[in-house]
Amino acid sequence: MPTLHDPLPLASGQVLPNRIMKSALSEGLATDANAPDERLVRLYSRWSEGGYGLIVTGNVMVDRRHCGEPGNVAMEDERDLPVLTRWAKAAKDGGAKVWVQLNHPGRQANPIVTRNRAVGPSAIAVGIPGIPAPRELTEDEILDIIRRFGTAARVAEAAGFDGVQIHGAHGYLVSQFLSPLSNQRTDAWGGDAVRRRQFVVEVARSIRASVSAGFGVGIKLNSADFQRGGFTEDESRDVIAELSAEGLDLIEISGGSYESPAMMGRPQQKSASTKAREAYFLDYAEQARQAAGAVPIAVTGGFRSHSAMSEAVSTATCDIVGLGRPAAVFPTAASDLLGARTDVLRPPAISLNLPQQLAGNRGLKAFDGALDLQWHTDQLHLLGAGKDPDPARSPWRTAATMLRHHGVDAFRSKRGSSSGAAADNDKTATKFRRERAVGRYFANPTVRALSAIGIRTTLATEIETIGRKTGQPRRVPVSVLFEKDAAWVICQHGTRSGWGSNLSANPEIRVRQGDRWRTGTATFLPDDDVDARARTFAPTPLLAPFMPRAFAALGTAPVTVRIVFDGK
């Protein structure tokens, strides 16, 4: 009967010293050039002392042109090999095996740090406000991404890491290919479940062909994406069965996406079995084990007590227990549990604890989930700064930071959602209708009249978007701050506005600059400081303090939009 203390041998020949894994957490601690720095070295030095059998890093991108979050590390070549080597050594000094989680965000690329248009299996937008529809990948681009996974694994091995984990969960590119909701191709990469899983199979083959036989290769895979018509448990078992024949060492079970975040333990009511056994995905893990054959199964999410972890391993429900968020608060969680210094990990429950009548609101529930993620990221940044975690940090403090960056859009669900009708009764909706009327019946005609007599100004120019319903060009007056090859615009009502919704569906845009029209691609930047951006629109420094008030008076949920011109 296996125990948490027992070593775990893998197919590659590696032996994990025990059965507790530090699961991947996206750290956001890379430099502007997507390289690790001393903050990551310090963070992983703390985890190396934590007694884990396996440590998996957070999101490492295989293409720096497409990043999931600000601060992602990218591994495209050996340009950062010295600091990657320091990072690997710091993480391994305590005796754990250390794997790099490799990822491509696909349509979930973060617009703040991804200047190129996001890509995906199909041109279908993710259900997150402000994120535009991706461009469909070509055959050559798909093959290039597959090669990039292999290249990144080769770099990781050269740096001294022990293995890699393919991120095949949480709505990123691999899981986008697997889901019929995001993959509606009819070629070799989509059309049925067999072809939809071909991408992840080829990624696994590319990695295994690029590294030595003793290098570990694993995958983090969704049990399901918990969306109607999406990736199902039956399909997940078929993927596991096929991948098990590709020389994998470990399969970690997760679930959901940022549209339906099961990995946060928030998608639905927990079953009695889940409450008793703590982990979210143990019921499915029993089925996954049958499909996986001899490949070990890891389960992450929900484990808190030594007794629940021990039972999961001793009953062979899973082979290794993953700790994610608790490791951000208790860096030495594994050694504390294995050394009997604690019987249960008690990280704080991060929530605004809203009244019951508000708790069911979709936008507020989504914000609560994002708040949990950001609060734990704050803990990683403390560790990276050489400090201790702060379990007493107020969630409201984190919420204030999020609202400062995202505005009230942090609470807003997608345009057209069921909560929209109720929102139309509040003051914000009333202001939105009033300002829309001002634009339609006063501002737009005024700008067109000025244009007709040859008057041009950057504070009263026009943009042209493609109507999401009609497919026809739509022109509206806006304030634009031009640069040589780009421009800034503030969308005063965010994706709630007509042109904001148009850009969410199709980011192509035309902007009139003087007497000519310029074509480009627009990207929403919800984390940009709108007040600071508004000041840069002032025609003179004396007016700068008044610009944020002017934009606030005309808007409800302003979001910065970056336009990059294509030279046409």
Side-chain angles (χ1 to χ4, degrees):
M1 182 182 296
T3 72
L4 292 174
H5 291 82
D6 289 343
L8 179 64
L10 304 178
S12 61
Q14 291 185 28
V15 178
L16 306 184
N18 63 58
R19 304 297 184 96
I20 300 181
M21 169 177 75
K22 198 291 292 178
S23 296
L25 295 168
S26 192
E27 310 94 353
L29 290 174
T31 67
D32 290 341
N34 304 107
D37 64 12
E38 292 308 310
R39 295 172 298 170
L40 272 172
V41 172
R42 283 193 291 266
L43 172 61
Y44 279 80
S45 292
R46 291 290 297 271
W47 276 329
S48 75
E49 301 168 353
Y52 302 95
L54 175 63
I55 295 174
V56 183
T57 75
N59 269 340
V60 170
M61 300 294 113
V62 299
D63 187 343
R64 70 183 67 245
R65 298 172 301 176
H66 299 274
C67 290
E69 301 95 10
N72 282 150
V73 172
M75 284 188 186
E76 294 179 315
D77 49 43
E78 296 189 357
R79 74 183 75 178
D80 299 316
L81 192 58
V83 67
L84 289 171
T85 301
R86 289 202 303 276
W87 181 20
K89 182 180 183 304
K92 293 172 61 174
D93 276 348
K97 298 296 181 182
V98 181
W99 291 7
V100 175
Q101 186 185 70
L102 298 180
N103 191 15
H104 190 299
R107 66 178 186 170
Q108 287 185 177
N110 190 299
I112 300 170
V113 290
T114 300
R115 299 308 183 192
N116 300 282
R117 184 174 176 181
V119 296
S122 302
I124 299 172
V126 65
I128 299 175
I131 306 297
R135 174 178 58 78
E136 182 174 300
L137 286 161
T138 67
E139 171 85 9
D140 287 344
E141 288 173 323
I142 291 172
L143 296 176
D144 176 67
I145 292 172
I146 291 170
R147 285 191 293 267
R148 285 175 177 273
F149 273 93
T151 299
R154 178 182 56 77
V155 173
E157 185 173 26
F161 290 99
D162 299 298
V164 294
Q165 181 191 67
I166 303 164
H167 198 335
H170 303 171
Y172 293 113
L173 185 62
V174 170
S175 62
Q176 288 164 31
F177 268 95
L178 291 170
S179 173
L181 294 178
S182 49
N183 181 358
Q184 297 183 6
R185 304 175 72 98
T186 57
D187 59 4
W189 307 101
D192 57 38
V194 174
R195 286 179 287 173
R196 285 196 302 270
R197 63 178 178 258
Q198 192 61 36
F199 179 77
V200 67
V201 170
E202 294 300 331
V203 166
R205 289 173 179 171
S206 175
I207 291 173
R208 182 48 77 197
S210 302
V211 297
S212 68
F215 191 71
V217 180
I219 187 169
K220 185 170 194 164
L221 188 69
N222 273 359
S223 61
D225 57 23
F226 298 98
Q227 293 178 280
R228 188 183 301 277
F231 185 62
T232 67
E233 289 189 356
D234 286 343
E235 290 175 314
S236 180
R237 285 192 294 272
D238 290 340
V239 173
I240 289 172
E242 187 157 352
L243 288 175
S244 297
E246 298 297 332
L248 292 191
D249 290 280
L250 185 67
I251 297 172
E252 180 185 0
I253 302 300
S254 190
S257 68
Y258 290 100
E259 296 175 274
S260 181
M263 67 280 192
M264 298 298 299
R266 300 173 185 264
Q268 55 195 2
Q269 292 295 319
K270 296 179 182 178
S271 67
S273 172
T274 297
K275 290 179 179 178
R277 302 202 292 176
E278 297 183 352
Y280 311 141
F281 306 111
L282 272 183
D283 289 344
Y284 173 75
E286 294 175 330
Q287 305 172 42
R289 170 171 293 291
Q290 297 177 15
V295 179
I297 296 292
V299 174
T300 299
F303 282 117
R304 294 296 181 268
S305 70
H306 184 281
S307 59
M309 298 178 205
S310 294
E311 182 180 0
V313 170
S314 65
T315 57
T317 304
C318 66
D319 299 283
I320 187 167
V321 167
L323 298 177
R325 286 169 289 162
V329 184
F330 309 110
T332 57
S335 62
D336 292 342
L337 290 163
L338 295 173
R341 289 187 291 274
T342 186
D343 291 326
V344 61
L345 304 171
R346 293 188 174 89
I350 305 305
S351 172
L352 295 179
N353 294 316
L354 298 167
Q356 186 64 37
Q357 58 268 33
L358 297 177
N361 179 276
R362 286 181 60 193
L364 293 176
K365 286 173 68 177
F367 181 82
D368 232 20
L371 175 71
D372 193 317
L373 288 172
Q374 184 58 52
W375 187 92
H376 285 89
T377 300
D378 291 345
Q379 304 299 323
L380 301 186
H381 289 196
L382 288 173
L383 290 164
K387 302 177 181 178
D388 289 326
D390 180 14
R393 178 183 173 87
S394 169
W396 286 97
R397 183 177 174 186
T398 298
T401 301
M402 292 174 65
L403 283 174
R404 186 164 63 247
H405 288 165
H406 294 272
V408 296
D409 263 357
F411 289 94
R412 179 169 288 124
S413 56
K414 193 176 182 182
R415 176 184 171 96
S417 69
S418 60
S419 61
D424 284 342
N425 295 321
D426 64 21
K427 294 181 179 179
T428 298
T430 301
K431 184 180 181 183
F432 169 65
R433 291 194 298 270
R434 183 177 68 246
E435 300 304 335
R436 184 172 58 180
V438 169
R440 180 174 298 171
Y441 300 115
F442 175 74
N444 293 16
T446 299
V447 170
R448 293 191 183 105
L450 291 172
S451 299
I453 59 176
I455 296 176
R456 301 283 191 267
T457 170
T458 58
L459 291 178
T461 190
E462 288 182 290
I463 62 171
E464 181 181 283
T465 61
I466 302 300
R468 65 196 182 283
K469 295 180 180 178
T470 66
Q472 299 300 310
R474 296 291 302 274
R475 292 185 180 181
V476 294
V478 295
S479 296
V480 178
L481 181 65
F482 287 100
E483 297 176 351
K484 180 180 178 181
D485 298 312
W488 297 94
V489 183
I490 293 178
C491 189
Q492 293 160 328
H493 302 290
T495 55
R496 189 176 191 174
S497 69
W499 68 268
S501 294
N502 290 346
L503 289 176
S504 292
N506 182 350
E508 295 179 2
I509 188 171
R510 295 177 72 222
V511 184
R512 193 183 66 199
Q513 184 176 14
D515 293 320
R516 65 170 177 149
W517 285 88
R518 303 183 70 181
T519 303
T521 301
T523 303
F524 286 90
L525 303 179
D527 277 359
D528 192 53
D529 187 331
V530 175
D531 286 352
R533 186 66 58 194
R535 294 186 186 96
T536 67
F537 280 67
T540 69
L542 291 175
L543 293 179
F546 301 98
M547 296 303 291
R549 297 181 186 179
F551 279 103
L554 298 172
T556 54
V559 178
T560 300
V561 178
R562 175 71 166 171
I563 300 170
V564 178
F565 295 121
D566 57 18
K568 296 181 181 178

